[in-house]
Amino acid sequence: MRSTETLTRAEIAEAIHRKLGLSRSESLAMVEAILQHMTTALGDGENVKISGFGTFLLRDKGERVGRNPKTGVEVPITPRRVMTFRASQMLKDRIAGS
């Protein structure tokens, strides 16, 4: 069964506010600062590893030939950089309910 709920920045900030007692604005600023730091690192070509959670990996994909499934016409796909996420074993176990 798949959940349709989504955790938002505001909800993360609210949880920090409740657990640490920081003001709501300080909690939101902390969340924003962490996300900004991660975004900057990924933008600079660095992978981001959060122990016990997972790793955001950057991968360069080379040029390749794709095909339009409707017409069958071959189209070149330009090289690009993609980001993937690899969950830690701890997170996988937690999600699986172990």
Side-chain angles (χ1 to χ4, degrees), residues 11-30:
E11 291 169 335
I12 294 169
E14 183 63 27
I16 291 170
H17 163 70
R18 283 194 311 270
K19 287 199 178 223
L20 300 180
L22 297 174
S23 72
R24 283 185 170 86
S25 62
E26 288 174 326
S27 299
L28 186 57
M30 181 184 294

Side-chain angles (χ1 to χ4, degrees), residues 31-58:
V31 171
E32 292 295 334
I34 291 167
L35 294 175
Q36 181 61 46
H37 192 67
M38 290 172 59
T39 302
T40 300
L42 289 164
D44 291 342
E46 299 177 51
N47 293 328
V48 174
K49 181 176 184 173
I50 302 172
S51 183
F53 183 72
T55 306
F56 295 90
L57 299 164
L58 294 173

